[in-house]
Every structure is written in C-alpha cells, then in structure tokens.
Amino acid sequence: AVYAKLDSNITPDEAAAAELARYEKERPTAGVSGAQNILLIGSDSRAGRANRRYGRDSGTERSDTTILLHLSAERRSATAVSIPRDLMVDVPGCRRRDGTRGEPMFAMFNYAFQKGGSACTIRTVERLTDIRIDHHVVVDFHGFKEMVDAVDGVEICLAKPIDDKAAKLRLPAGKVTLNGEQALGYVRARKSLGDGSDTDRMDRQQRFLAALVHKAQSNDILLNPVRLYPVLDAATSSLTTDPALANLRGLYELARGVRDIPTERVQFLTVPRESYVYNSNRDQLVEPEAERLFERLRIDAPVEVVNSTEKSQGPSRGTSHKRSSGEDQKSGAKGSDEPAGSTSPAPTFRGSTAAENPCG
C-alpha cells in the first residue's frame, strides 16, 4: 500500500517526452555508459492553492532555478552545475504551451521554460553543452518546502540578521535551522542578501543544497525506511519527471546510487560566465572555460572545485585554472576518477562541496 501510494504520487511529463522524441535526431548521443545527466528545474509556478500565496497565477511559468546534475558512472562523484537564468543562449523553435510553435531566437535562458516548458529547456541545454540529458525533474515552491520539512529543517549560518519583507523572511545572525517556508525565502531572496544579483543568489542556493545533502547523509535518512518515507512522500507528491523516473523504482535506483558518494565529492558550481557584452544585466559564457567544463562532463572526467569564498586564491569569477604540477601528478594516482590512460589534469572551478561547513 505504501509503495502504491508513493508510486502514484509522481507526475510523468508525457508531453515533454513526446516533444523530445520529435527531435531525437538532433539531440546529442548518449554519454559514457552508466553516467547520468539529470536536469533539475525549479519552477516559479503560482498554480495551485499551495503556490498561490507567492503571487497571482498569471499562467506564466518560469525556471526560477536550473541545475545540471552529473552522476559519474561509478557513482564516485556528483557535480551540480547551475545555469544562470539570465544567460544569453540560442533557444530552438519550440512548441509553446498553447500548442503553437515559436521561432528559434537568441534570448535569456529562462525564456525556454517560459515558452516551451521542460522539453524546450532540455533542448536548449543540450544545444548549449552538447550533453545528453538522460532525465529531468521539475519541482515547484510547495515541493521544495515539503522536502525541507521532511528532513526536519536545514542548518545554515548567517553573518548578520535578515529582514526581507519581499521574501517574508526574518532570521537572526548565527546558526539557524530553516524550516521549509524559511528555506524557500532564503534561496529566493534578492533585496536583503548579498549584492542582490542572480550570481549571489545562485551561490546561496548551492550552499543551501550542500547543507541539505549533508543533513540527509549525516542523519542516515537515506538508509532508514522510517525516516525516508516522509521524504519520499514529500518529494514524490511534488515532482514532475520524465516517464522513466516517474515511478518509485526509478527514484529509488537513483537515490541508492548517490547515497554512498562522499560529501567531499558532491560538488556545486556555476557555469563559467561573465556580463553579456551588450547588456551588463545579462550573462554570457566564458570560453574556453565553459567548453572545458562541458567536455569533462561529456566524457565523465572529474572536475575540481575551490571554495567560492576564497577570492584571493584562484582566477577571477567565471574562469577555471589547472592545478599545479604537483597536483597534476596526483591526478593520475591510484583512486583518481580520471579515466585510465588520461594525461589531462582535472581543471578547477570556483564552487563548493557538501562536506564544507560554513558554521565551522
């Protein structure tokens, strides 16, 4: 009965599957056997009673957050790459939500989800990265809150108090355990946290997700059926996924594959980008660093991250650098994730890992 309930909770994204099938010939080929690339999409939909409190339901749904999650073939690492919603990209001609078809255009990344939903977003990401998206997951505000509450909240540390009326968020300085409602305000806030940019917000989202992963692993939630059930119930009730993942077995296999990845190998970073040359309020990729990152993910080769707060130790924002010769030698040592016979050291990007504890 429990299995049947959880299994029926998940909404399969049949429309996206049908749309992607129409464009199968133009999609990238499958990557390394066993590796998986999953696109995580946070929707800002106001549809439904639970989401209506965050604004009027205008019928427009945008991708508030998009993360490309790469799971290595041997499940020794997980790399989550944030894609800025203001990144200027080539959006293909996609089937609109009203059934009509739009023309290809150069636009902000979140335009793809707004106009063509998850299928258009996947096609846009695949064109941008040449990485085959194996699965996708869409979660809304309510689903995010429910999952945070299911793990009994997530601890963060604040250097100063927060009083953000727009985000309906008031928090003291120091260690704070956020419930679902507070967590949603924290990852979405703009006006009172950092410099108000989407860049700062993505960094905050990555730190929060790292704390969430750490909480789930440290409390053995993924290994304890009694504690896992409410998490699965909250997650499955709020997820829209591709048909292959839209069942409890598919999600269980995914969770089982990642639960043993060491937290120091669960990495978060943002695709290398800089201000768009024609509009400083938009982003563009930094090359060749972005392509270097995409290539490593395509061939299932490792990347390394350095703490994003260490501004003085490493390249400027949006760039990557190769490790020193001493570190290069280590990259070929036994136990490295580097493919056998490879002589290329893992490039390093600004980011963080789930093992890092901002609370000290």
Side-chain angles (χ1 to χ4, degrees):
V2 168
Y3 185 95
K5 178 184 184 302
L6 294 175
D7 199 54
S8 64
N9 281 348
I10 311 167
T11 302
D13 198 348
E14 301 286 0
E19 181 72 358
L20 291 173
R22 293 189 182 97
Y23 294 94
E24 179 60 37
K25 291 183 178 179
E26 73 175 35
R27 299 183 65 193
T29 57
V32 175
S33 176
Q36 288 196 327
N37 296 298
I38 304 165
L39 198 65
L40 309 176
I41 303 171
S43 163
D44 72 351
S45 171
R46 269 67 171 180
R49 185 168 58 182
N51 292 320
R52 202 169 297 147
R53 61 178 298 183
Y54 303 106
R56 183 175 60 87
D57 180 14
S58 63
T60 299
E61 187 177 2
R62 290 165 295 190
S63 52
D64 209 44
T65 301
T66 304
I67 296 175
L68 173 59
L69 175 63
H70 175 80
L71 304 178
S72 67
E74 301 299 326
R75 298 300 185 265
R76 295 173 61 181
S77 67
T79 302
V81 181
S82 295
I83 301 176
R85 62 183 189 175
D86 293 339
L87 184 69
M88 298 303 294
V89 298
D90 290 311
V91 178
C94 294
R95 183 182 180 89
R96 299 190 183 100
R97 297 176 188 275
D98 62 4
T100 62
R101 290 204 172 269
E103 295 296 321
M105 66 183 303
F106 187 64
M108 291 191 303
F109 174 70
N110 70 345
Y111 176 84
F113 190 77
Q114 179 180 343
K115 294 302 181 183
S118 52
C120 192
T121 301
I122 290 168
R123 293 178 61 209
T124 301
V125 171
E126 290 184 338
R127 285 194 174 195
L128 181 71
T129 66
D130 199 28
I131 294 171
R132 173 85 175 204
I133 302 301
D134 302 300
H135 300 292
H136 70 276
V137 176
V138 182
V139 62
D140 62 14
F141 292 159
H142 178 67
F144 176 83
K145 292 192 308 179
E146 290 293 302
M147 283 187 279
V148 172
D149 285 335
V151 298
D152 299 325
V154 175
E155 184 182 80
I156 63 167
C157 282
L158 300 173
K160 57 184 180 179
I162 296 175
D163 188 359
D164 190 319
K165 292 187 172 120
K168 299 179 181 177
L169 185 66
R170 293 188 66 182
L171 297 171
K175 289 185 181 181
V176 182
T177 298
L178 303 182
N179 61 28
E181 189 70 44
Q182 293 169 325
L184 180 63
Y186 177 73
V187 299
R188 298 192 69 242
R190 279 181 177 271
K191 297 182 180 179
S192 65
L193 296 179
D195 57 11
S197 68
D198 197 43
T199 296
D200 186 79
R201 189 169 75 153
M202 283 187 297
D203 288 343
R204 195 180 333 122
Q205 290 170 349
Q206 291 169 8
R207 291 193 298 271
F208 180 83
L209 289 175
L212 177 60
V213 170
H214 184 76
K215 175 69 176 286
Q217 289 201 359
S218 63
N219 285 23
D220 290 331
I221 290 173
L222 299 178
L223 299 174
N224 186 330
V226 175
R227 302 201 64 188
L228 180 60
Y229 175 78
V231 177
L232 286 176
D233 189 35
T236 55
S237 298
S238 314
L239 297 183
T240 299
T241 78
D242 58 281
L245 270 188
N247 59 80
L248 195 57
R249 181 176 296 278
L251 287 179
Y252 173 74
E253 290 297 328
L254 180 62
R256 187 176 68 171
V258 302
R259 69 187 182 190
D260 294 327
I261 297 177
T263 52
E264 62 270 17
R265 298 303 302 164
V266 179
Q267 304 177 129
F268 299 88
L269 64 149
T270 300
V271 61
R273 85 283 185 214
E274 62 189 359
S275 294
Y276 180 47
V277 64
Y278 298 114
N279 186 339
S280 61
N281 293 319
R282 303 290 180 260
D283 287 331
Q284 65 184 23
L285 293 180
V286 172
E287 298 294 2
E289 287 80 6
E291 174 54 29
R292 185 180 301 146
L293 171 63
F294 300 150
E295 181 183 15
R296 303 292 289 193
L297 299 181
R298 283 195 295 269
I299 65 175
D300 197 29
V303 298
E304 301 290 340
V305 298
V306 63
N307 194 303
S308 57
T309 62
E310 298 172 4
K311 299 295 185 183
S312 62
Q313 299 180 28
S316 59
R317 191 192 82 173
T319 64
S320 67
H321 66 281
K322 291 194 174 183
R323 296 180 289 180
S324 66
S325 59
E327 289 175 300
D328 290 353
Q329 293 171 3
K330 292 178 184 177
S331 70
K334 184 177 180 180
S336 169
D337 288 334
E338 193 73 33
S342 174
T343 59
S344 175
T348 304
F349 298 85
R350 282 246 174 83
S352 60
T353 74
E356 294 173 20
N357 183 3
C359 294

